[in-house]
Amino acid sequence: KVDFALDEIVHILEGEVIVHEDGDGDTYTLRAGDAAYFPMGLVTHWHVPRFVRKFFVVRVPGGNPYVARVRQRFAI
């Protein structure tokens, strides 16, 4: 079971994973070259028939207000 505490974007580099959304949700198979977005709060179940190597990025929805203030102050 995977509970996403933040938004996550994944890119599958190798292997295969079958992802089922909790309850009556959809089922997806992700393989090398596939990318997926998992929003904060989503609950999934992962079955990994072949070892998976992935690249992933997590983010706080709506951005980080501290970073926005720093950018304003220094005109980044």
Side-chain angles (χ1 to χ4, degrees):
K1 179 177 170 182
V2 180
D3 297 348
F4 289 91
L6 299 171
D7 286 350
E8 184 171 318
I9 300 166
V10 302
H11 179 235
I12 305 299
L13 301 173
E14 64 181 75
E16 178 180 275
V17 60
I18 300 165
V19 181
H20 177 74
E21 294 178 13
D22 204 27
D24 294 332
D26 294 326
T27 299
Y28 304 93
T29 301
L30 302 174
R31 296 180 181 91
D34 290 339
Y37 167 69
F38 299 100
M40 181 176 75
L42 180 67
V43 177
T44 59
H45 300 271
W46 290 43
H47 171 68
V48 184
R50 290 189 304 144
F51 173 82
V52 167
R53 191 166 59 103
K54 69 178 183 175
F55 172 81
F56 67 97
V57 176
V58 294
R59 73 175 196 100
V60 175
N64 182 326
Y66 175 75
V67 172
R69 285 195 304 271
V70 169
R71 285 185 177 155
Q72 280 181 334
R73 182 172 180 195
F74 296 104
I76 297 174

